[in-house]
Amino acid sequence: MNYLILSRVSWEEYPYKRLLDLLPERADICFAGGMTPEQQACSGIRPVAMTELNTLDGGSFTLLVSSPYWLPDVLALQPAYTVALLEPCPEGENEIMWEKYSSLLAARADLVGTVSERLYLEQNLCRPKVVYLSGDYPLSCGLHRRGERLFFLSDYEEVWTRALTGLWQPACTGAGDWLAIQRRLRADFYVSMCGKMPHQPTVHYLAATYLYLLGDEAAERYLAKSFELMLLHDYTDCLHSHYRFFSAIEAKKGNLALAVAQYEITAFTEEERSTAVQMRRWLDSGDSGLLQAELYRVNEDVAEAIRVLENLPCPEAQPLLLQNYIASFQWEKALQLQRLSALSSSEAGAVPLPGGAVLQGGGTPPASTALLAGTGIPSYGGAQLPVIEGTMHLLHGRRHAAIRSFLRVAGAGGEARTLFAEMADLEEAVGRLKGGADDEQG
């Protein structure tokens, strides 16, 4: 397999060199940007100038991408596989925009890796193939030979090599099993930390989170302890962050009536109370799939919500699936579903959602500043499909089509300026990224 590295920094500062040594079926490895002759000789990696990128046969490469601003090139190259190496927002970058396009990169990727445990947990709630590129397991978990060199692998390095191999050999490696093994190791670590730090609610909460991801019923016990400790510490605002989590645990066990009752205790706003009413309707009518998916969604487990909804044949699942695609930044899937469901601005106008809100299909409603600035999709409504469409046009290099989409939703008034400002900021960030790479000495 050939690999192409699309880095945020120069080769000298590239933080994943050890992982490159462990790449399975390693053939030609290229680095987008400049390298000195000494760096090339020591690494066995050849540089590719920015002007040469569009001449590569992308279909023969696996991309290793560590900046979201490479996303237009990722889409243009159409690689065999894409691995997103997600990082927290670097100093000096626009955090809102970095997070937005990092999420879009992760949604496009075949595998996500990160050294940030916060990002690791967030991504596990959005998609199935995520590797934590760090760990606390003290024993060697395997060996890897490259030429005359022998590498003793840590737990996450073994998972990394297995997960990569699983991209093109999914039936042979049991990659999914290794990803579950990593979650089990994280769960075991925090369970052990609970014994060492019995009065720390965060440690118990993290143990509960990993156990929940594993489908382990012990999650409920550790969450209960965390909730109790929060109350003992006078953190009385933990109903949303802690108590509501019980409803997701019960939903996973199939105890939907109890899960709805637990959610209702945390429903304070008008929107949340309307959602609780809708949950009761689904419970009474036996629509268990819709109810279970919504319980996952309100607990931010979008990956499980999507898994349930994609397997439901009823038409009521379509707008909910659309909403979850948007929330997890799977925007190309959202647009495809919108087209297939004929939920266009001319045919459907607005898609009803739980809580009495709507998903706008067109028209000129007031723009959501938080959304248009890239802070994310609100839980209910507010996600305007033409903005999503315009963003995807922009990333695919269709600038004029992007402008038309943005004008359709924002009009020619002040709302459009926010969209065009982000467009300019993105283009500047892409130019800065490529300019910095070209500045390296070859």
Side-chain angles (χ1 to χ4, degrees):
M1 174 59 65
N2 301 320
Y3 295 90
L4 174 61
I5 303 163
L6 301 178
S7 175
R8 180 181 64 84
V9 295
S10 67
W11 171 254
E12 185 177 18
E13 299 174 306
Y14 189 68
Y16 306 107
K17 293 187 178 75
R18 161 85 177 183
L19 295 181
L20 298 182
D21 285 329
L22 308 179
L23 292 173
E25 300 189 23
R26 171 176 159 152
D28 188 22
I29 303 185
C30 305
F31 181 83
M35 297 176 70
T36 66
E38 293 78 14
Q39 289 170 341
Q40 296 175 51
C42 291
S43 65
I45 294 172
R46 67 180 179 92
V48 175
M50 296 298 108
T51 53
E52 297 177 45
L53 277 183
N54 60 2
T55 67
L56 297 177
D57 176 14
S60 66
F61 282 90
T62 292
L63 304 188
L64 306 175
V65 190
S66 54
S67 168
Y69 303 136
W70 283 113
L71 189 50
D73 292 274
V74 172
L75 296 173
L77 283 166
Q78 297 183 321
Y81 304 99
T82 300
V83 179
L85 298 171
L86 298 188
E87 300 178 356
C89 183
E91 186 176 351
E93 293 284 357
N94 181 320
E95 184 173 3
I96 291 173
M97 196 166 74
W98 179 273
E99 295 290 343
K100 173 180 178 178
Y101 289 97
S102 289
S103 297
L104 287 167
L105 173 63
R108 174 62 178 79
D110 301 286
L111 180 69
V112 174
T114 180
V115 297
S116 164
E117 191 161 20
R118 174 185 66 83
L119 290 175
Y120 174 66
L121 285 171
E122 288 177 358
Q123 288 300 312
N124 266 287
L125 293 171
C126 289
R127 61 200 90 258
K129 294 183 178 180
V130 189
V131 177
Y132 180 43
L133 300 175
S134 185
D136 305 280
Y137 191 66
L139 302 179
S140 175
C141 292
L143 296 173
H144 179 80
R145 183 181 295 278
R146 187 169 72 83
E148 297 181 354
R149 299 178 65 188
L150 187 65
F151 297 88
F152 292 89
L153 304 184
S154 66
D155 59 322
Y156 70 87
E157 290 171 340
E158 178 72 4
V159 174
W160 164 254
T161 59
R162 297 277 185 162
L164 275 175
T165 304
L167 293 180
W168 53 85
Q169 296 179 1
C172 301
T173 64
D177 295 337
W178 280 92
L179 297 175
I181 287 170
Q182 186 171 53
R183 290 193 290 270
R184 172 57 66 182
L185 289 173
R186 299 311 298 156
D188 290 346
F189 170 74
Y190 281 107
V191 167
S192 70
M193 290 299 293
C194 289
K196 299 173 184 177
M197 307 173 69
H199 304 298
Q200 288 295 325
T202 301
V203 172
H204 287 78
Y205 188 84
L206 287 167
T209 301
Y210 281 110
L211 291 166
Y212 165 79
L213 290 171
L214 289 163
D216 191 322
E217 293 188 4
E220 184 177 7
R221 184 168 74 252
Y222 285 93
L223 179 59
K225 183 62 176 178
S226 179
F227 183 61
E228 175 189 335
L229 289 169
M230 290 291 284
L231 294 178
L232 287 174
H233 286 80
D234 292 327
Y235 297 127
T236 55
D237 58 346
C238 57
L239 281 178
H240 281 82
S241 60
H242 284 64
Y243 190 83
R244 182 176 290 182
F245 191 4
F246 285 113
S247 67
I249 293 173
E250 295 301 334
K252 188 165 281 194
K253 292 192 292 185
N255 299 330
L256 299 183
L258 177 56
V260 171
Q262 290 168 332
Y263 175 78
E264 287 172 332
I265 292 173
T266 71
F268 296 132
T269 68
E270 181 179 351
E271 187 176 271
E272 289 169 339
R273 289 193 294 270
S274 297
T275 298
V277 170
Q278 179 62 73
M279 286 181 178
R280 279 286 167 191
R281 292 195 191 104
W282 284 330
L283 182 65
D284 294 340
S285 62
D287 291 318
S288 58
L290 296 173
L291 174 55
Q292 191 175 44
E294 185 65 2
L295 284 162
Y296 289 140
R297 191 199 65 78
V298 297
N299 281 282
E300 300 180 358
D301 191 352
V302 181
E304 278 295 287
I306 288 173
R307 182 189 63 79
V308 172
L309 292 168
E310 285 182 336
N311 289 290
L312 291 180
C314 59
E316 295 86 354
Q318 298 298 299
L320 299 174
L321 182 57
L322 178 64
Q323 183 187 19
N324 281 281
Y325 280 155
I326 292 172
S328 58
F329 287 85
Q330 298 181 64
W331 287 3
E332 298 215 40
K333 284 187 176 181
L335 293 173
Q336 182 181 23
L337 179 62
Q338 180 253 349
R339 287 191 292 268
L340 291 174
S341 304
L343 299 176
S344 65
S345 57
S346 60
E347 296 172 355
V351 181
L353 296 170
V358 294
L359 184 66
Q360 295 294 341
T364 55
S368 167
T369 303
L371 168 66
L372 303 185
T375 58
I377 306 300
S379 295
Y380 293 107
Q384 295 158 321
L385 287 170
V387 174
I388 293 170
E389 180 186 67
T391 301
M392 299 316 299
H393 280 316
L394 184 63
L395 291 172
H396 280 279
R398 301 186 289 264
R399 197 171 188 275
H400 292 296
I403 292 172
R404 287 195 297 271
S405 293
F406 291 156
L407 286 175
R408 190 166 76 249
V409 70
E415 298 93 342
R417 287 197 293 270
T418 308
L419 291 165
F420 297 142
E422 182 178 313
M423 179 188 295
D425 289 343
L426 176 62
E427 292 170 344
E428 180 185 348
V430 171
R432 189 168 62 246
L433 176 71
K434 292 187 174 183
D438 270 339
D439 287 341
E440 295 300 316
Q441 295 298 312

